[in-house]
Every structure is written in C-alpha cells, then in structure tokens.
Amino acid sequence: ILHSISFPPREGDSLLNRDIMGRVFPNLLGNCFLWAKLRLLQAKKTCSCTPARIKDYVFSFFPVLQWLPKYKLREYLLGDVMSGVIVGVLLVPQSIAYSLLAGQEPIYGLYTSFFASIIYFIFGTSRHISVGIFGVICLMVGQVVDPSVNTTISAVNQTSSTVMTSARLCPNLLCVVDSFQVAMGFFQVGFVSVYLSDSLLSGFVTGASFTILTSQARYLLGLDIPRSSGIGSLIATWINIFRNIHKTNICDLITSFLCFLVLIPTKELNEHFKSRLKAPIPVELVVIVAATLASHFGELRETYGSSVAGHIPTGFLPPHPPDWSLIPNVALDAIPIAIIGFAITVSLSEMFAKKHGYTVRANQEMYAIGFCNIIPSFFHCFTTSAALAKTLVKESTGCRTQMSGMVTSLVILLVLLVIAPLFYSLQKCVLAVITIVNLRGALRKFKDLPKMWHLSRVDTVIWLVTMAASALISTEIGLLVGVCFSMLCVIFRTQRPEAPLLGWVAESETYESLSAYKNLQTKPGIMVFRFEAPLYYINKECFKSTLYKQTGVNPVWVKAAKKKAAKRMLREKEVDSGGNQTSISMDFVSEPLGFHTIVIDCCAVQFLDTAGIRTLKEVCKDYGEIDVQVLLAQCNPSVRSSLIRGEFFKEGEDHLLFHSVHQAVDFALGAQGHSGTSASKN
C-alpha cells in the first residue's frame, strides 16, 4: 500500500491528471489508515492477556501438562519404571561419593539428586537425560566453597563467634547459580552455549577429571591434609600428598585397592556386554554394602583410624533461606558454574532428542536447570546438571519419558527415609574409588586424539589447550582460556584464509581452484581470484598481499617503476646521453602485464566492514591506474548492500556486480574484444 501512494500533481500537470489524483489519492490514503489500524489490532492481540494465551503460556512453562495427559500407560510404564529404578540404584552411591567432592555431608548429595529428579520431571523437555549430580560441577562447587568458607570465617570471627561451615555457604552459591540460569532463560540467551564447542567441552571435562582424581587421592591413602584450591591446586595437592606419604593409612590403602579390583573389571564387563545385558550390574551399590558391612563388623574406624562417612540422618532438614549477606562472596564464581551446567544439559538433551526424533527447547531447559537449583537451595543442596554416564544408562534400560525421573526420586526417597543411617561405617576411601572409577570415560578421550587430529587439527589444539589449562591452572580459568583460544582460532582462520586462483571447468559455467583440481582451463587475459573469508579490518592486508602474490603484479610497484623509468628517460633526454638506454626504458614502461581483468569471486565473503570496502576501492583504483579492470562476482545481498552504502561504484556502475563468475568473465571478454575492435578501426 505504502509503495503505491502517488504524490499530488505539481503545477503544470494536465487537468486529467489532476482529476485522477483527486480521486485516487484519498482512496490510497484511506487504505494507509486501514493498514495502520490492522497493525494496531495485531499488536493489541499480541499484547493481550486472553485465557487462550494464558493457557498456552502455562503449558509452555510446565511441559509436564503437555505430555502427561498423553502418557501411554501400557507402552511406556514398564520401561520408565525399570530405567528409573536402575538409575536410582546407581545414583545412591554416586550421590554420597560426590558429596565429598563438593565438600558437603553425604546426606546433601541425596537431597540434591532427589529434588533435581522431581523438578526436572515438571519443567524439563528432554525425555532421556538424567539430571542430578555431575562430577565436574561438584568439583567447581567444592573449589568455590572451601576458600570462601575460610575467608568468611576470618571475617565473621572478628565480630562474633559464629562457626561458618560449607553447608551454610553452598545454598548461597546454588541460589546465585540458579538466579543466573533463570535470568538467562527469561532473556532468551540460550545461544550462549554455541560458544562452547564440543572439543572445548570435552577438553574441559577431561582437564577437570584430573583435578577430581587429584582431590580424591588423599582419601585413597587416608591422608588428613587440607584441600588445595585456586591456581595450580593440582600441583600443590600432589606436593602435599608426597610430603605426607609416610602418614598413609594402610587400611584405607588396602580397601581402595580391593575396591578398584572389583569395580574396574565389572564396569568393563558392563560396557562390553551392554547390548546383551537388560540392565547394568549395580556393582557400586554392591561394593558400598559390602564395604559398609566389613567396616562395621571389622571396627576399622576404631582399630585402624579409617575415615568414615559418619552419621547420615533420615528424613529432611527443615528448609532454610540462603544467607543473603554471603551472596557477594560467591556471585562471580557462580557464573562459570551456571554456564557449564546449562551447556552440558542442553548438549545432552539435544543429542538424545535428535537420536529419538523429538525436539527440546534450549531456553526451557535453562528454566528447568535453574529451578532444579533454586528450589533445592532452601534444602541444603548443591548445584546440579545432566550427567552423560547416567543418561546413557537411562536410555539403554528402556526410558521413554520424564516419568523415569520420578521413579528415580522415589528410590532416593526410600534411602533418605529408611536406609541412609546404615551407611555410618562406610569408609570415605570407598566413595573416592567410586568417584575415580567414573572418570574413565573422560580420561579415555586421549585414545581419540589421533582420530581427532586427523579430522581437525584446530579442534585438537583447542582440546589440548583447554584440558591443560583446566587441569594445571584452575577449572574456571581453564574454561575462560578455552573459550578465548577457540575464538582466537576462528579469528586466525579468517586472518589467513585460503585464496586460490580459479580455473574454468570445460563445457560448464563452473570455476574451481587451480591448486585443488586438475584439467582446468583459464581464459586469456583474465585472472579469477577467490577470497574464502569475510573481508574486514583484521585480514585486509592479507587480502591485498595474497591478491598481488597470486596475480604476480603489485600495482603500486608497477606504478612506482613506471614513474622511476619516466624520470630516468627525462634525465637521459636532458643530458642527451644517446638512445640505447632510452629505448630500454621505453620498453620497460610499455611492457605488457599478461592480463587485463581480475574477477574477484566473493561467494565466500560473508560480510564487509568499512576497512574491507576501503580495501576494495584501493585495489580497484590501483589496478585501474595500470589499465587492469577489477570485477566482483557472486556477492551476497549483505555484501552488495555494504558496497552500495559505501559508494563503491560510481554513478551508473552498479551493473558491474555480476551474479556469477562466468557472467563476469564473459563481460570481460566482450569488453576486451570491443576495445580491440575499436583500436583496430582507429
């Protein structure tokens, strides 16, 4: 409608035109008002709060309301119950073991797994992932809580005699993490996870696994040494271990060795025969039960001084709000935990959704993980995320929907209400062995390095840098180093991109790289050049230098040589030194270049900035001064728009943007032929 409006007739128009405009223009103006009214009604409908819109919002925010009414009891129930029970049985010992990693009491690991399973059942969109404790997240929580506790204790003791424990600080960390995650979901920033590539995440998890192994080594030896944290904690921990190696508890060392002998072969059998086994052997639970009985009846704590789990209460502690005054102490450390938890959860949920043919919503997953943390923060829990190992078990044992998570929470609830106190005599070294054995998958990534190197050397270097930084410096700094390094790799790739000359594929309109393909032809007097990156301020000099190198002609040098030769000729004429050198100079000035046109294939140039536009102008100007024409082909709409806004073309020259390289080459051949004909006529 707006494009069809005509302006009122100017003075001097015919009476007929005035009559037509007098009738047509008011109708068009009325149509404009109608269009504006329709737009206003549409905006009002979008912003309205009708019962239907409220219903859609509620069903979108609580996915359980969508899938639960459609639940097929006979088809889904058996698989969900079986997978839920098996994951629950595996989760109980791991929840107790990972509590040590997070610097918490064993009961808090059970609380965390219980609440996470229920809340994700309500808010989650993935049918298969298992949400709960995850080793890397527990490590990051433990590294934040321990140093913060020490700092806070010294500050509190100056004013009161209150004893600060990590149990008081952990809910504050959890509250900040979930606040970040819910805010990220509200502001629709789920795209953040795209900056964490698969190689980066894999390297981060492997590097963190070394730190986890190091943090659990003291329990294997029964050493009572302080937990190191901060930069270089891995090296500091091993130095402390070797300094105190003479204090090793022989009972804990033997117990750890026996547990390794049982767990590792059984885990390997589970993995080797997973296609034949209907459910994996719950060897961790068997080891925990056997070790608890041996410790209780053998009185290992009283006789040998073994460190045990201690009293684990039944039921739930009363909810307690976080201490808001402590939140500033952990706010900055919560950012990487929130991002890593979300990135791992979304990656796993999208992977399994694609495998089973359904979709997940990244921002809803952000909400789900956020609420898995925000509600449990009142119940002494710590941060949660999805875990690959338990997700694989859940999928392989017949899981069909999120109902499996509810069954898992019921298994953990049974332990919380009845069984938990029976683990009083369980040695901490057994829990450490369980944690270390579950790192096998991450540590096996080293076997994939040759294959990864063959596929992509850049991804391999990103993996190695992130892994080394996460292990040797710290997990948080390692993540930041990995993100920065991967971005630098992208920049370096665009800074020095491939820029080949192209040749013509006979009997077609296709042009390909002369260095990559054989039997290509070139058109006489025409060079086709492709720059395979966006042209912007970082690589503008690379563009010019590569173009000059590939064509073999630097127009600046040619112009300078011509000027120098012209000056020499002028001096020779002035001194009247003879004609031999003058003829040489004349020959040099008039020496042909071997081509008259350069066609730049812009199909791989995603965008131009002001520096890129200025560079193209300079190239066209410099080559034009030595009688070489530069044509652009296959520019995308964004590049075309940038060139037009940057006044790249003179008045009426925008037709020199060609849709294909073949079209540009034909134009150059035709123009040269026309020029040659005109010259011969003259």
Side-chain angles (χ1 to χ4, degrees):
I1 295 173
L2 290 176
H3 290 294
S4 64
I5 295 178
S6 300
F7 291 99
R10 295 169 297 182
E11 187 175 350
D13 288 342
S14 66
L15 292 175
L16 179 61
N17 285 343
R18 291 175 181 270
D19 181 60
I20 292 174
M21 292 304 298
R23 286 180 292 173
V24 172
F25 189 76
N27 291 335
L28 293 175
L29 194 60
N31 289 336
C32 285
F33 282 121
L34 179 61
W35 175 83
K37 187 175 181 180
L38 290 174
R39 287 291 185 185
L40 185 62
L41 289 174
Q42 185 178 4
K44 185 176 179 181
K45 182 180 178 181
T46 303
C47 300
S48 63
C49 188
T50 62
R53 289 185 61 82
I54 293 175
K55 180 182 177 182
D56 291 341
Y57 178 78
V58 171
F59 274 65
S60 176
F61 194 71
F62 298 97
V64 66
L65 300 178
Q66 295 180 353
W67 63 263
L68 191 58
K70 303 175 184 177
Y71 190 82
K72 300 176 181 179
L73 199 63
R74 293 183 178 179
E75 185 176 348
Y76 296 161
L77 186 61
L78 181 60
D80 285 341
V81 170
M82 179 180 292
S83 64
V85 170
I86 293 170
V87 172
V89 169
L90 295 176
L91 203 53
V92 168
Q94 290 185 16
S95 299
I96 299 173
Y98 285 165
S99 299
L100 294 180
L101 192 58
Q104 303 297 303
E105 295 296 326
I107 190 67
Y108 298 146
L110 295 172
Y111 287 166
T112 301
S113 298
F114 171 75
F115 284 110
S117 298
I118 291 180
I119 295 170
Y120 192 82
F121 165 81
I122 298 171
F123 293 99
T125 57
S126 174
R127 304 172 191 172
H128 293 88
I129 66 170
S130 175
V131 175
I133 54 173
F134 180 50
V136 175
I137 298 295
C138 292
L139 171 69
M140 297 175 75
V141 169
Q143 289 180 334
V144 172
V145 168
D146 277 3
S148 300
V149 169
N150 296 333
T151 304
T152 310
I153 288 176
S154 59
V156 171
N157 284 340
Q158 295 175 2
T159 57
S160 68
S161 59
T162 304
V163 178
M164 183 66 60
T165 64
S166 61
R168 277 189 60 188
L169 191 60
C170 200
N172 294 277
L173 175 64
L174 182 58
C175 184
V176 179
V177 169
D178 57 52
S179 299
F180 284 147
Q181 290 175 332
V182 171
M184 290 165 73
F186 180 78
F187 290 109
Q188 306 288 297
V189 290
F191 66 88
V192 171
S193 62
V194 303
Y195 294 102
L196 305 178
S197 64
D198 291 341
S199 57
L200 187 149
L201 280 176
S202 176
F204 172 76
V205 171
T206 303
S209 298
F210 281 107
T211 308
I212 294 172
L213 188 152
T214 301
S215 68
Q216 299 301 295
R218 57 181 178 143
Y219 295 112
L220 300 181
L221 303 175
L223 297 177
D224 186 14
I225 57 177
R227 179 171 181 168
S228 300
S229 59
I231 297 175
S233 60
L234 183 139
I235 298 174
T237 300
W238 282 110
I239 291 173
N240 268 340
I241 289 174
F242 284 111
R243 281 178 179 173
N244 296 273
I245 196 73
H246 60 280
K247 299 178 183 178
T248 299
N249 188 305
I250 301 300
C251 179
D252 286 344
L253 180 61
I254 294 174
T255 304
S256 302
F257 179 71
L258 293 175
C259 290
F260 275 122
L261 285 181
V262 175
L263 282 170
I264 292 178
T266 311
K267 286 274 189 179
E268 292 297 327
L269 288 174
N270 273 340
E271 188 169 338
H272 187 72
F273 295 104
K274 61 183 179 182
S275 58
R276 301 182 185 180
L277 294 172
K278 293 184 177 179
I281 302 170
V283 62
E284 293 167 331
L285 187 62
V286 173
V287 166
I288 278 191
V289 171
T292 303
L293 293 174
S295 176
H296 175 72
F297 291 107
E299 298 181 348
L300 301 183
R301 177 173 175 267
E302 293 79 5
T303 306
Y304 301 103
S306 293
S307 179
V308 297
H311 176 63
I312 303 178
T314 56
F316 293 91
L317 297 176
H320 188 276
D323 188 347
W324 307 111
S325 63
L326 298 177
I327 285 181
N329 295 334
V330 296
L332 191 61
D333 296 305
I335 296 175
I337 298 177
I339 294 175
I340 284 294
F342 163 72
I344 291 174
T345 302
V346 170
S347 299
L348 288 178
S349 59
E350 289 181 345
M351 179 175 71
F352 284 94
K354 184 178 180 180
K355 181 177 180 180
H356 292 276
Y358 62 93
T359 58
V360 294
R361 290 178 284 134
N363 286 301
Q364 181 61 30
E365 289 297 298
M366 189 93 77
Y367 280 127
I369 292 300
F371 284 116
C372 282
N373 291 323
I374 197 168
I375 297 174
S377 66
F378 292 86
F379 291 91
H380 308 276
C381 299
F382 48 89
T383 313
T384 60
S385 76
L388 177 60
K390 291 182 284 295
T391 300
L392 290 172
V393 171
K394 190 174 181 179
E395 182 213 22
S396 63
T397 51
C399 173
R400 303 298 296 274
T401 67
Q402 294 92 319
M403 184 65 73
S404 174
M406 181 60 71
V407 176
T408 299
S409 66
L410 293 177
V411 174
I412 299 173
L413 180 63
L414 177 65
V415 175
L416 282 169
L417 296 180
V418 180
I419 305 173
L422 301 178
F423 296 117
Y424 175 89
S425 299
L426 177 61
Q427 293 170 270
K428 288 185 178 180
C429 64
V430 177
L431 300 177
V433 170
I434 292 174
T435 301
I436 292 172
V437 169
N438 282 301
L439 300 176
R440 290 162 25 285
L443 297 177
R444 279 178 176 168
K445 294 294 182 180
F446 284 97
K447 294 171 59 178
D448 298 334
L449 282 181
K451 183 179 179 181
M452 189 188 302
W453 179 263
H454 180 71
L455 291 175
S456 173
R457 296 184 179 183
V458 175
D459 284 346
T460 308
V461 174
I462 291 173
W463 189 94
L464 289 171
V465 169
T466 308
M467 183 274 299
S470 301
L472 300 177
I473 305 176
S474 72
T475 49
E476 294 85 357
I477 295 177
L479 176 64
L480 181 61
V481 168
V483 172
C484 294
F485 185 77
S486 61
M487 289 184 176
L488 285 175
C489 287
V490 174
I491 294 173
F492 289 151
R493 282 179 172 182
T494 60
Q495 187 177 3
R496 307 291 299 181
E498 293 290 329
L501 290 179
L502 306 184
W504 174 53
V505 180
E507 300 181 359
S508 72
E509 297 183 359
T510 304
Y511 285 77
E512 294 295 347
S513 171
L514 288 169
S515 60
Y517 296 93
K518 297 179 180 179
N519 302 322
L520 298 180
Q521 302 176 11
T522 56
K523 299 290 185 178
I526 299 175
M527 286 195 169
V528 184
F529 174 77
R530 176 186 291 162
F531 192 69
E532 299 181 351
L535 181 55
Y536 62 122
Y537 70 98
I538 288 180
N539 61 13
K540 61 185 180 66
E541 293 301 327
C542 174
F543 171 81
K544 293 172 70 173
S545 62
T546 308
L547 177 61
Y548 298 160
K549 181 180 178 181
Q550 293 283 34
T551 58
V553 174
N554 186 329
V556 178
W557 293 355
V558 172
K559 287 189 297 181
K562 284 186 176 182
K563 288 181 180 179
K564 186 176 180 181
K567 288 181 180 179
R568 187 182 302 162
M569 286 172 53
L570 187 60
R571 286 197 305 268
E572 290 170 352
K573 286 182 179 180
E574 289 177 353
V575 299
D576 195 20
S577 59
N580 188 29
Q581 291 182 356
T582 303
S583 63
I584 294 174
S585 300
M586 290 294 293
D587 291 341
F588 178 78
V589 172
S590 59
E591 183 180 350
L593 296 175
F595 60 92
H596 53 76
T597 303
I598 297 175
V599 178
I600 300 178
D601 182 4
C602 300
C603 65
V605 180
Q606 294 95 342
F607 64 87
L608 297 171
D609 67 353
T610 53
I613 297 172
R614 188 163 55 249
T615 300
L616 284 176
K617 286 182 178 179
E618 292 174 0
V619 166
C620 291
K621 178 176 175 294
D622 291 342
Y623 274 110
E625 290 177 352
I626 60 172
D627 299 324
V628 174
Q629 185 181 28
V630 178
L631 304 177
L632 303 183
Q634 299 196 104
C635 299
N636 64 40
S638 171
V639 173
R640 283 173 173 264
S641 177
S642 297
L643 292 172
I644 293 172
R645 290 197 309 269
E647 298 179 352
F648 177 79
F649 300 103
K650 296 179 182 178
E651 187 83 21
E653 284 188 353
D654 54 348
H655 67 281
L656 296 179
L657 277 177
F658 296 94
H659 294 289
S660 68
V661 174
H662 189 75
Q663 185 182 15
V665 171
D666 283 348
F667 174 84
L669 291 173
Q672 185 65 18
H674 179 72
S675 174
T677 303
S678 300
S680 63
K681 287 181 179 179
N682 292 335

